[in-house]
């Protein structure tokens, strides 16, 4: 008998993809109280400081108390990359140093925060999800990253080590690159662009997965197909919550942050906005495609049922009447003339043979064979 | 036979969750006539008065006639918390004391009121649903709560004792808290925030319930699953009616109540607005998820049907032809040569055995075994 | 056999609820030609005149030619309630007396008119559907009612006797009521409020019907359930056409009729608007609920099919193999050793018994029993 | 066996309703090149000229070269009704005479043009579909009609003879009619009103058809029902493309053609706009209704399946066990004590009878009988 | 047995239609770095230069370094048609010569670019998909084409040789054509018009395909039908991504490019806009139609199942009871009076015959025959 219930494995896989959420809200605490709501994903919080202008480039992993000294270096652009969020003290001190509103700090710490962008008097703040999924088989790794643009200083906050910014760092090393000539707003753009680029990779991987499910649903549909499809759709639901607000977030840079973004960088932001829309439209197409796969699967199930029924019906239709005939001549009546015919048995066999041929002809005409 | 009809219990549970509604509108009464439309949920109406400034804090459960004396205390902020709505007289006197419009009083009393927010000349009025659902198993407890901000006085109206404001009261006790420094508008915000925070808890509980239904639909789908799912969806429909208007209610504070809300409190209200949107988006995801569970369930039903049919078909296909053969040799023709063969019986048994093996091979090739 | 086709009765009921429509448009007539498009629902057209101020109240059923005399009475407010529309002459004379545009008269007469509100120089005109459905069992009675506010005169046009305004009339009798102090705009509001209140009653009755269908679909689903559900959905479709435009109609009073509505009455109109939205939202919830009931019903059908198939499969799976065994020993071969064993018969019965037990165990493991 | 495939007839009917479309666009031609894209529906193009004022009325079918003379007649209003579009020359000359833009001429000739309305400096242009469907059985006849209002001259372009304007022509004959007092804008309104009135008739006929399908789906569902329903839905899809843009077309008259439409005619246009919305809403209701009919049909199919399965199960469940018993006593064991009992045969028959009664009781309890 | 799984062929066809995509984004590269993201579709990049005014016309395939000389020719309009995108150098030099923004160049090279239109200070830029599908059987050929209008110079960028512009080139040869009198903006319009015209052809071909699927689903539904339908829907999903943004692209010309488009050309652009909307609406209708075909197909599957079950039930219901009767008289009881009757056998045969007739009558009454 084929497996009726989904294998334990596939269900375990399901529950593995659902990361156990801690209550995402700090119930009972005063509003804007600083509490990290995520999982502590590494031991120590550390700060990666990069500061550069056309001529110089300087990168160091520093302690919080060294930060002030480095800020005096007076380079054109300073990028403070805070990696790890669970040490609230560090965040509070940075908040103090740059005059960050308490609600902004709270947003940085709430890792279930909806992507958003806000313009304050002194700074522009944006928070969004950085997703990574290098191959179609790998799970989607989601991490919240926040950006805070404060004049020539860009501060980023990541949950853990490992990000999509390595290409940007590499480019910063090369003094001939345009990025070295430009300000912190261009750096912000470059980082956002790196994030959105990874959305494209994830989209391509999802697309490949759906195409696999598609050919699976056509060629060898099974319970596994449906469960995979279901998991795929749930993953996309989760992803949508990260992707859809992006449109607004990136769009707001163009609309509300005019005084913070230099005119030369603005076309780049607009370009980013177009890319975001493209990501969103791709998601919509995937949504339609996955419904299509469901239809395919459901149809294949119906088809299978039809085929099972056909086998049953053919067998029954052929043999039940024949058995009846055999039954008739198995009756024990004293007076059954046929039984005494010399070739009665062979006549009956012949009639049965002809009946079978008739049935086969009927089934072929009905296209069941 | 497995249970075909939903157990009486599950249906009773259904009808228990549907609270018997009294006609929600006072037909035949003049408009704005003050009649309490809900169920009387406690014996007495009482007023919990809290009044405080940076230095002092005073809390007492008072009678209505004491209210005037207390209002003379001249603290910075006064919070009048009216618990119980069925005593219309008390409400009318408060209405008189604070110059509240008759329609506002009517809205406070209509506990089926759609959440809304209105700005009057003297005060800002908002009414919404306070929901509580401490664990995934507990039913959702919904209660209407109205807020009336009148300069430094905040009046709240609840249907019954027991609310989500205890954490706010606790914070008020501590003179070092920011809340003690700020005005009644911040108190309003803190209370609204407490209400919205509870929506998040309810969302998490609903999420857990849907995930349970999900694994149930995959592993052991039954009629119970469907009924639970149906009840879950109905509960969410009811909840949506409380949740969706919130967006407008909270959004209106930012747009229309500028002169009533101090500039320092406004960012907090905006933050609240973001949270409200997040609640609404979560509801949408749950809606999609519950349709997904329905698909899963329906598929599991089809699958089950397929399996039942497979068993029937395999059994029939194997034994019906064999029975026919047995029937043939049970015929009573006088001249049936095979019957007289020494090993005829064993030959027939052999042929039958080979046929069975052939069938099994056919079924395995069709992936039915 | 259970009833396969819907009983004649249920279908007749269906066609009874569909009131035979006369062509709703007067094809071939000049635009704005006055022709009554509805059914003549009573013999005579009569006019109920109410005129009142703070001190006096006067009510009489009058003839058209008496109207002019009564209008000279110079009370504060006059309410001319025209009951019956089929006498076009009366309408034309009223139109002449109050300077009513021909298109307005045409709208009053077209009883299939979509609810709408229009502001003319001299008057405000609104037409909508008055629905009544006192109990969940009673059919929904729909009637077009038009309002025409012309300074201190309010004219209403109803299709037939019997309306939802009795409560308003009762209140008018009491000189202490607020309504006696206020103008014709407040009277208009009071009447509209009475109409909307009846929408709430109808909604509650529909809600009860859907809940009945719901428990029917869970406990004893049958063809009747589906037909009732279908009729319910059709009724709601019809109702939607009356309900949805209300939002616009009532909303327009606030937006476009500022000079016709006194400032004191405006908050009441806004309140009415909120109620209208609540009615519309309730309709939406009912729509979702009725799809939910359809899902429930469809599932119960599938479940039933599953159970029928289970019975068939269990019976077949147990007895077909046993019959085969019996068939084998019913063969007439000369040399069948088992037949001559002393206890062969009992051995076979024993083997059969064991097989049955094995089957039962298998079915229980598959959860079919 | 009932008919499994749709009869050839119903399919032929399907393909008949799909009028073979010529490529609707003139690929490879310069834009605005004048080519008639429809089918030539009559031999000759002719012009029906009507010109009138309060006192005079003059109607003649004229040649193109007579047109100029007639235009000098200096009546108040001139209506040039061009019937037949395939003679591009005539159109070009009219275009020249009235200064019509080449794109407008192109729109007049493209009979697959989406309904639209455009305001030019000298004239207002509108094109829409005139539909006719006198009875529920008759196919919907669609024809493009274009209106061009040029001061006191109204030019209309029809594809073929036979239109919905006869009633308007009749009214024009009567000098006492309002239409004789008014200008060409009122004539335009009267014609548009005639077109929209016919939409109402078509809607009523479609409504009747859907109601027929509805009762068919309930009482005698068959493959025919589904095909008819499908054809009905396709027809409505086509119709929607003509109906939906109407809202914009008629709405634009009010918004953009203020200087072309006299103030007295404007309320009539607004009334027309309301009617258009009513047509659109009716289409939406029909759409919902036809999905409802599909649900009904699908359910009746499932029901039918259920009933077939019930019959099979009842027969099998009763007779398969009985046959087994008969098979047992048909075995040829030497030692079968029951066979030698005096009344063994009758005992067995009795047991069988009791078993049948038990089964019947079981089926009744399960509500299958 | 009929084919249960889709033939290998149909699946291969599926995968052939999905062109293997290269990662559409240049991960890790600086933003606006010029990299061609498509497939190199021909060996060489070449430039087709057309320059003309009322009197002269000149066309040549030139090298990049000849371009400057030609630009000095000072004709009224110059059309530089760059065919092939993989040589980034050529693009960079053109960019330099005309002052094209780096982001624009990047958009030209990204062949998965979403259709868009942008106005820069010096030029207007638009990119969209040019689709070709000459017959219903041919696959849809999609190619990105970009337009850059820079005063009197129009530059177009195509991926490969072969386009839809041949008709425009032919018209340019004829000095009497309007196009020779007008500027580069009219040329842009003419080219866009050619592109949109081809969308109409593709729509007509898709329409024909859907109608084929439709009659296939009605007359001979099979697994092939569903797979074709599925492929059709996927193709339409892809197409939608090219078609939907067109509305915005063409609409933007009217709204944002006023200073670049001369007033005489603007009505043409508006006409183009109307056509675009018509294409989009057609897509929507096709979407609905393809769901309708799916419904038809699913129903035909259910119908087929019903018919299979009917055959099985008829055969079983007739023969199973008869076999039982034969089984009864095959029992070996000693005392079975009927067996000794002279005509017992014939009586039984008679009873059986009557039972068969009764069954047939029953089936006919149930409409199964």
């Amino acid at each position: 008998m084929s497996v009726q219930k989904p294998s334990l494995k596939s269900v375990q896989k399901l529950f593995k993809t659902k990361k156990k959420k801690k209550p995402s809200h700090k119930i009972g605490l005063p509003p804007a109280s600083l509490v990290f709501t995520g999982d502590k994903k590494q031991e120590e919080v550390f700060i990666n400081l990069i500061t550069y202008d056309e001529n110089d480039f300087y990168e160091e992993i520093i302690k919080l108390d060294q930060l002030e000294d480095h800020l005096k270096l007076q380079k054109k652009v300073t990028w403070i990359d805070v990696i790890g969020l669970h040490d609230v003290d560090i965040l509070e001190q940075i908040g103090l140093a740059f005059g960050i509103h308490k609600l902004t700090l709270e947003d940085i710490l709430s890792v279930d925060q909806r992507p958003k962008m806000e313009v304050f008097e002194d700074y522009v703040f944006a928070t969004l999800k950085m997703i990574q999924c290098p191959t179609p088989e790998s799970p989607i790794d989601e991490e919240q990253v926040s950006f805070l643009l404060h004049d020539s200083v860009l501060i980023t906050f990541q949950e853990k080590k490992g990000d999509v910014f390595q290409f940007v760092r590499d480019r910063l090393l090369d003094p001939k690159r345009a990025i070295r000539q430009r300000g912190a707003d261009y750096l912000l753009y470059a980082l956002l662009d790196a994030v959105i680029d990874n959305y494209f990779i994830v989209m391509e991987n999802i697309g490949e997965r759906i195409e696999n499910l598609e050919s699976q649903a056509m060629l060898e549909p099974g319970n596994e197909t449906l469960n995979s499809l279901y998991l795929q759709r749930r993953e996309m639901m989760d992803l949508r919550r990260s992707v859809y607000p992006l449109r607004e977030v990136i769009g707001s840079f163009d609309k509300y942050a005019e005084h913070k973004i230099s005119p030369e960088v603005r076309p780049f932001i607009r370009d980013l906005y177009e890319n975001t829309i493209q990501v969103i439209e791709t998601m919509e197409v995937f949504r339609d495609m996955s419904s299509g796969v469901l239809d395919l699967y459901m149809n294949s199930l119906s088809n299978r049922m039809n085929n099972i029924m056909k086998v049953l019906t053919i067998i029954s239709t052929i043999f039940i009447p024949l058995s009846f005939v055999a039954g008739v001549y198995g009756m024990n009546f004293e007076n059954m003339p046929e039984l005494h015919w010399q070739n009665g048995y062979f006549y009956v066999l012949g009639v049965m043979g002809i009946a079978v041929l008739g049935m086969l002809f009927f089934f072929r005409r009905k296209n069941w064979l």
Side-chain angles (χ1 to χ4, degrees), chain A:
Chain A
M1 211 70 31
S2 78
V3 186
Q4 179 178 5
K5 295 172 180 181
S7 69
L8 204 66
K9 228 171 161 181
S10 73
V11 176
Q12 283 172 340
K13 196 179 128 206
L14 169 71
F15 287 102
K16 221 171 55 198
T17 62
K18 290 187 276 181
K19 45 181 180 293
K20 187 69 202 143
K21 280 176 204 142
K22 293 210 291 180
S24 64
H25 263 66
K26 314 135 306 171
I27 315 308
L29 289 177
S33 56
L34 296 182
V35 173
F36 175 57
T37 65
D39 301 309
K40 189 172 154 186
K41 287 177 183 161
Q42 57 186 17
E43 277 313 295
E44 249 181 306
V45 172
F46 60 88
I47 297 173
N48 186 40
L49 182 124
I50 291 177
T51 179
Y52 61 88
D53 56 17
E54 291 100 298
N55 309 312
D56 289 328
F57 176 88
Y58 181 79
E59 174 166 16
E60 198 182 358
I61 290 176
I62 58 165
K63 295 248 166 69
L64 185 65
D65 43 19
Q66 297 170 292
L67 187 57
E68 214 166 330
D69 301 337
H70 282 91
L71 288 177
K72 289 177 191 145
L73 282 175
Q74 299 278 356
K75 297 284 166 187
K76 202 172 170 191
V77 180
T78 304
W79 173 17
I80 302 167
D81 189 7
V82 183
I83 296 162
L85 296 176
H86 53 272
D87 190 342
V88 175
D89 283 347
I90 291 183
L91 213 75
E92 271 183 331
Q93 292 181 45
I94 293 176
L96 223 71
F98 290 92
I100 305 175
H101 196 283
K102 272 217 148 188
L103 281 168
T104 302
L105 292 178
E106 196 196 19
D107 287 340
I108 292 169
L109 287 172
S110 308
V111 294
D112 283 310
Q113 182 61 43
R114 191 173 169 263
K116 73 172 179 181
M117 184 270 191
E118 274 183 311
V119 181
F120 289 81
E121 212 171 310
D122 289 339
Y123 59 91
V124 181
F125 171 71
T127 183
L128 37 80
K129 305 295 175 213
M130 172 164 76
I131 54 173
Q132 286 177 284
C133 173
T135 68
E137 286 76 33
S138 49
I140 295 178
D141 178 44
E142 195 179 293
E143 181 186 347
Q144 176 157 312
V145 59
S146 305
F147 299 88
L148 202 148
L149 177 65
H150 188 284
D151 295 326
S152 69
V153 178
L154 178 73
I155 318 179
T156 54
F157 300 90
Q158 308 183 34
E159 285 184 63
K160 62 175 199 286
K161 239 175 137 174
D163 56 31
V164 301
F165 300 149
Q166 196 49 46
F167 293 119
V168 180
R169 286 194 198 94
D170 292 349
R171 267 193 284 148
L172 282 173
L173 286 173
D174 181 351
K176 279 169 292 180
R177 290 285 196 188
I179 197 168
R180 286 282 287 273
Q181 267 79 45
R182 305 197 168 179
D185 52 354
Y186 189 84
L187 177 61
L188 169 64
Y189 156 70
L191 296 178
L192 288 174
D193 188 59
V195 170
I196 304 289
D197 269 1
N198 268 277
Y199 276 98
F200 276 101
I201 303 176
V202 171
M203 288 300 126
E204 269 155 33
N205 286 333
I206 289 178
E208 205 163 302
R209 283 189 214 167
I210 293 180
E211 283 178 9
N212 287 341
L213 285 172
E214 200 167 70
S215 59
Q216 206 180 324
M218 277 200 207
L219 293 175
E220 36 176 348
N223 231 358
E224 282 290 309
T225 317
L226 190 86
N227 288 345
S228 305
L229 184 60
Y230 181 76
L231 291 176
Q232 185 56 51
R233 294 176 82 173
R234 277 218 37 197
E235 204 171 65
M236 279 162 61
M237 271 179 218
D238 284 348
L239 206 54
R240 262 212 306 277
R241 300 175 75 187
S242 308
V243 171
Y244 275 62
L246 275 183
R247 180 180 191 144
E248 208 185 316
V249 169
I250 307 291
S252 297
F253 274 103
D254 201 30
K255 270 185 274 173
Y256 304 120
E258 289 144 332
H259 51 296
K260 304 284 182 190
I261 307 289
S262 59
E264 305 88 54
V265 178
R266 251 177 261 166
F268 292 94
I269 297 283
R270 263 199 296 278
D271 192 64
L272 208 58
Y273 180 69
E274 299 276 340
N275 287 346
T276 311
I277 289 177
Q278 199 164 351
V279 171
I280 290 171
E281 286 181 353
T282 310
M283 284 239 65
E284 279 310 300
V285 171
F286 286 168
R287 198 180 193 174
D288 281 7
M289 272 173 73
S290 68
S291 320
V293 175
L294 192 66
D295 283 349
L296 265 188
Y297 173 78
M298 282 307 193
N299 165 67
S300 97
L301 223 76
S302 290
N303 244 324
R304 196 166 265 232
M305 182 71 125
N306 260 354
N307 281 303
I308 291 175
M309 293 308 301
K310 257 189 228 164
V311 169
L312 176 60
T313 303
I314 289 170
I315 292 291
S316 302
T317 308
I318 290 177
F319 286 105
I320 287 181
L322 298 186
S323 287
F324 164 67
V325 172
V328 164
Y329 293 109
M331 292 195 295
N332 297 321
F333 285 101
E334 278 179 1
N335 179 20
M336 290 176 69
E338 299 95 320
L339 296 181
H340 307 294
W341 295 354
Q342 178 62 27
N343 295 321
Y345 175 52
F346 304 103
Y347 291 163
V348 164
L349 286 189
V351 166
M352 284 176 173
I354 290 165
V356 169
L357 291 176
M359 297 280 188
L360 293 177
F361 178 75
F362 170 78
F363 292 136
R364 178 159 300 283
R365 224 196 51 202
K366 273 204 171 303
N367 248 327
W368 291 1
L369 283 172

